Amino acid sequence: MIQFKSIVRTNCAIFCLMIAGLASSPAFGQSLPLANEPDSDWRFTITPYAFLPVSTQGSSTVAGSTVDLDLDFSEALELLDFALSVRGEAWKGKWGIISDFYIVELEIDSSVGLPGPGGGSADIDVNIDQKWVSLLGAYRFAEGSTGKGLRYAWDVSGGVRWNSIEQQIDASVAIGPGGQTSLGGTEDWLEPMLGIRLTYEISERWTLAGRAEFGGFGVGGDDLQYTLLVGADWRVWETTSLKFGYQYYSIDFETDRSDGTFAYDVAQHGPYVGLTFRF
């Protein structure tokens, strides 16, 4: 029983954290470029985006069993089933509203050999469902232009993020104390967020940006969650831009459930890419 439970927990932890890391790192969308419209007009952007971590390192814990992780991009990509990430921004003058949404779903059906002289196998169903929604208020506290008329701006933001993470194993045989056939489950929580961003035009079509965002601060079991990124916005057409850059993401979450500790502590880095539509 103990050996089999360890095998199942190990596989679940690896699956869950790989997928969670692949598409759930918070707020990848790049900045709203400085607009030519009058301050009295509303300006909107929508940016579908993807984060491609070339490295995932840390640990994952399901039902009290912890597994160390050291994964590359190809290992994570093999397990990805579905991912959707979108960032939206609305600005009027110096004030803005920013929202991020993502959802990742994965269901893995496999068979694991049973230990002991009887042998045989057990059917294992690993379910991962991770999503979050953030809502931030933003303020442009500094802006100006260079001698060539190229503009720059500093923004700050603050608000809340709702997180939901599922890490669950269902098996055809007992895998937990008391004959349990299911381990793990779903955790959701609200946490505060703070951010700062610099946007700097280098030509009429190119804008550079850097952003730092921080969340958690011990609320809901999330000790600290943060994102650091640098990137560029290339305005391909008047209302459409290609965004790309590099991102570092880290999270340290832990809580206690009836079947044991549920946690993940991970750091990732890699490129991201998105497409922004303005209207």
Side-chain angles (χ1 to χ4, degrees):
M1 176 74 68
I2 295 177
Q3 182 181 358
F4 176 60
K5 182 166 63 175
S6 177
I7 293 173
V8 175
R9 285 176 172 173
T10 298
N11 281 282
C12 176
I14 292 175
F15 291 155
C16 293
L17 196 44
M18 286 171 70
I19 298 306
L22 185 65
S24 66
S25 302
F28 307 121
Q30 202 43 291
S31 67
L32 176 71
L34 297 168
N36 294 319
E37 296 88 345
D39 285 349
S40 60
D41 294 340
W42 278 100
R43 309 183 302 275
F44 303 91
T45 65
I46 296 179
T47 306
Y49 63 87
F51 174 50
L52 310 173
V54 297
S55 174
T56 298
Q57 294 184 329
S59 63
S60 174
T61 303
V62 178
S65 180
T66 300
V67 178
D68 292 329
L69 300 173
D70 186 4
L71 311 170
D72 61 28
F73 176 67
S74 62
E75 291 172 322
L77 188 60
E78 290 179 0
L79 300 175
L80 183 63
D81 184 40
F82 172 80
L84 175 64
S85 305
V86 181
R87 180 181 177 95
E89 301 196 16
W91 286 84
K92 186 173 184 180
K94 295 180 179 293
W95 295 93
I97 301 171
I98 302 172
S99 182
D100 270 314
F101 166 82
Y102 75 71
I103 182 170
V104 179
E105 296 180 354
L106 178 71
E107 181 174 353
I108 303 171
D109 296 316
S110 62
S111 181
V112 176
L114 295 173
S121 62
D123 294 329
I124 305 297
D125 184 24
V126 181
N127 293 285
I128 296 94
D129 184 351
Q130 184 170 3
K131 50 185 172 287
W132 57 261
V133 179
S134 65
L135 183 62
L136 308 173
Y139 177 69
R140 182 158 292 172
F141 67 90
E143 60 184 327
S145 62
T146 67
K148 296 181 179 180
L150 300 175
R151 296 162 297 176
Y152 65 87
W154 285 92
D155 306 331
V156 290
S157 58
V160 296
R161 176 191 295 136
W162 173 77
N163 299 270
S164 177
I165 300 175
E166 178 185 5
Q167 297 185 129
Q168 182 167 321
I169 315 167
D170 296 309
S172 59
V173 299
I175 57 176
Q180 293 172 265
T181 59
S182 180
L183 295 172
T186 302
E187 293 295 326
D188 57 76
W189 71 96
L190 282 173
E191 66 181 33
M193 286 186 64
L194 296 173
I196 187 168
R197 177 174 63 189
L198 168 64
T199 306
Y200 190 92
E201 288 183 337
I202 58 174
S203 73
E204 291 184 358
R205 291 188 175 272
W206 286 90
T207 302
L208 301 181
R211 185 171 73 244
E213 291 182 336
F214 302 88
F217 308 107
V219 177
D222 191 358
D223 199 27
L224 182 63
Q225 185 172 179
Y226 66 92
T227 301
L228 306 174
L229 65 84
V230 292
D233 177 291
W234 175 35
R235 185 170 294 200
V236 184
W237 298 287
E238 184 63 26
T239 59
T240 307
S241 293
L242 176 65
K243 298 181 184 299
F244 54 89
Y246 206 84
Q247 175 172 280
Y248 181 89
Y249 167 72
S250 178
I251 184 171
D252 184 2
F253 173 79
E254 179 176 338
T255 191
D256 291 322
R257 297 176 54 86
S258 60
D259 59 359
T261 302
F262 180 105
Y264 66 89
D265 181 1
V266 62
Q268 297 176 300
H269 63 84
Y272 70 89
V273 62
L275 193 63
T276 293
F277 303 96
R278 297 178 179 83
F279 55 97

